[in-house]
Amino acid sequence: MRSFSYSRADSVDQALLGIAANGHGPAGTAAAVRFIAGGTNLLDLMKADVLRPSALVDINPLPLARIEDGPDGGLRLGALVTNADTAYDDRVQARYPLVSRAILAGASPQLRNMASNGGNLLQRTRCYYFYDTATPCNKRTPGSGCAALTGVNRIHAILGASEHCIAVHPSDFCVALAALDAVVQVRGSDGERSIPFADVHRLPGDTPHIDTCLNADEIITAIDLPRQGFARHFTYLKARDRTSYAFALVSAAVGLEIEAGTVRTARVALGGVAHKPWRDPAAEALLVGKPPTAETFAAVADVLLQGARGYGHNDFKIELARRVVVRALRDAAEREPS
Ligand code: SF4
């Protein structure tokens, strides 16, 4: 059994002090002090001996569990609002149905009732080898190798991977947030900062043990959704092995603004294919100023999947992703608000 200290923080300042007092290490290391909210991923990682924090700081008492009006006509999702409360919030369902659909496509009702919005962003990959401490894994133990490269890699990345790691980010919520250009608010010992969603998660490169750009002494306080919610033409399409309680093999979050049969604004983000939600502005630009046609959708998929490669078991994902993109765009273009 591994021992660790446990404390509860009543304010963000107290939580940051708790981190500082316990001597946090760099992000991704096994010995660092950790914040705990829902614990739906952290406790699994501790039970599997993948993470061995010396201290847990319970942040559930912090006043970050509200959904309120955000800057510039948007909506601010508190970091401690549960995924379930976010998905079923009237304002989210009416103005950001893409967010609601993406959340409800993930996990199980029990997990969504516990998981926090901030924690969803920080969950770790579901690569089998990351959770198996008997195998080499650069993300778990930097420099040890990557068992997935030559192992069973059916669920692994086809875009943005490196020779050091081919893991994917598992979140559905994050794919919708990427498509919406959400902004993540964080606070740390050096003050507050706003991080565009595209910059929150990293590609693995030669440091796959670092998942995000957050410093170890920073805490997520909120996620800001911009005014444009694409509530009229949107879809979240998820291809997976089972119809519930399964991570995406490939998913697509699409938001379109269409006026008089012409696309004015387009967003397309892919999940299940890379170490972070995958977007390409060049692909989205192909749609703008044109009618939404099957030919354009196919061209968008070609650009999004430029450079895609498989590692054996996951080769099928390239064609699957192409089909998911085309169908998601078609569904979004045809969708009318219900
Ligand atoms: Fe570890 Fe990444 Fe390789 Fe999986 S893909 S074994 S997480 S290094």
Side-chain angles (χ1 to χ4, degrees):
M1 192 173 89
R2 301 197 183 270
S3 60
F4 56 89
S5 68
Y6 169 85
S7 60
R8 278 168 77 86
D10 293 321
S11 68
V12 173
D13 286 341
Q14 202 179 355
L16 295 176
L17 280 174
I19 285 280
N22 284 286
H24 62 78
T29 59
V33 58
R34 302 277 166 177
F35 294 127
I36 182 166
T40 53
N41 189 208
L42 178 60
L43 294 181
D44 282 349
L45 291 165
M46 290 172 67
K47 286 185 215 167
D49 207 27
V50 174
L51 287 183
R52 299 185 294 278
S54 57
L56 293 184
V57 177
D58 187 339
I59 58 172
N60 283 296
L62 304 190
L64 303 174
R66 286 191 298 272
I67 297 177
E68 50 200 3
D69 290 341
D72 304 321
L75 203 61
R76 173 162 286 181
L77 310 176
L80 288 174
V81 181
T82 66
N83 288 179
D85 284 346
T86 302
Y88 292 118
D89 182 88
D90 289 345
R91 294 158 291 181
V92 174
Q93 290 196 322
R95 294 169 56 191
Y96 305 96
L98 179 55
V99 168
S100 184
R101 296 287 177 92
I103 291 174
L104 295 176
S108 65
Q110 293 89 340
L111 285 167
R112 295 193 296 265
N113 284 340
M114 286 298 294
S116 67
N117 286 339
N120 190 307
L121 272 56
L122 300 178
Q123 64 181 300
R124 310 298 304 274
T125 183
R126 264 56 181 188
C127 171
Y128 331 112
Y129 303 105
F130 179 63
Y131 287 81
D132 181 355
T133 57
T135 59
C137 170
N138 288 322
K139 186 179 282 296
R140 176 170 27 79
T141 309
S144 64
C146 172
L149 280 170
T150 53
V152 177
N153 48 39
R154 184 169 182 277
I155 63 172
H156 288 73
I158 54 172
L159 289 163
S162 76
E163 60 183 312
H164 303 285
C165 180
I166 59 172
V168 299
H169 195 266
S171 171
D172 295 290
F173 182 37
C174 288
V175 185
L177 295 176
L180 290 174
D181 277 343
V183 176
V184 177
Q185 304 296 339
V186 304
R187 198 162 136 199
S189 53
D190 290 336
E192 299 179 352
R193 63 183 178 125
S194 304
I195 310 173
F197 202 83
D199 298 334
V200 171
H201 298 98
R202 303 175 66 255
L203 292 179
D206 58 4
T207 53
H209 58 292
I210 304 175
D211 289 343
T212 73
C213 74
L214 266 71
N215 298 318
D217 64 344
E218 287 182 317
I219 187 170
I220 296 174
T221 56
I223 301 157
D224 286 341
L225 304 178
R227 176 195 290 265
Q228 172 60 279
F230 299 99
R232 189 173 179 86
H233 293 284
F234 72 93
T235 199
Y236 186 73
L237 179 61
K238 179 174 179 178
R240 50 186 159 173
D241 284 329
R242 299 184 302 268
T243 52
S244 71
Y245 197 38
F247 294 99
L249 293 167
V250 177
S251 68
V254 173
L256 300 174
E257 189 183 353
I258 301 175
E259 284 176 16
T262 299
V263 177
R264 300 297 179 198
T265 310
R267 306 278 178 76
V268 187
L270 292 180
V273 296
H275 205 250
K276 59 186 290 186
W278 191 263
R279 277 182 66 184
D280 186 334
E284 294 167 10
L286 285 176
L287 288 153
V288 177
K290 300 196 185 92
T293 63
E295 292 72 27
T296 309
F297 300 159
V300 169
D302 285 344
V303 173
L304 267 170
L305 292 163
Q306 263 173 13
R309 65 159 289 193
Y311 294 85
H313 298 104
N314 69 344
D315 293 349
F316 74 97
K317 276 189 164 189
I318 299 173
E319 179 59 24
L320 178 63
R322 192 178 305 282
R323 295 182 188 200
V324 165
V325 169
V326 170
R327 183 171 143 195
L329 281 164
R330 186 197 67 201
D331 288 354
E334 292 176 355
R335 184 183 294 276
E336 289 295 322
S338 58

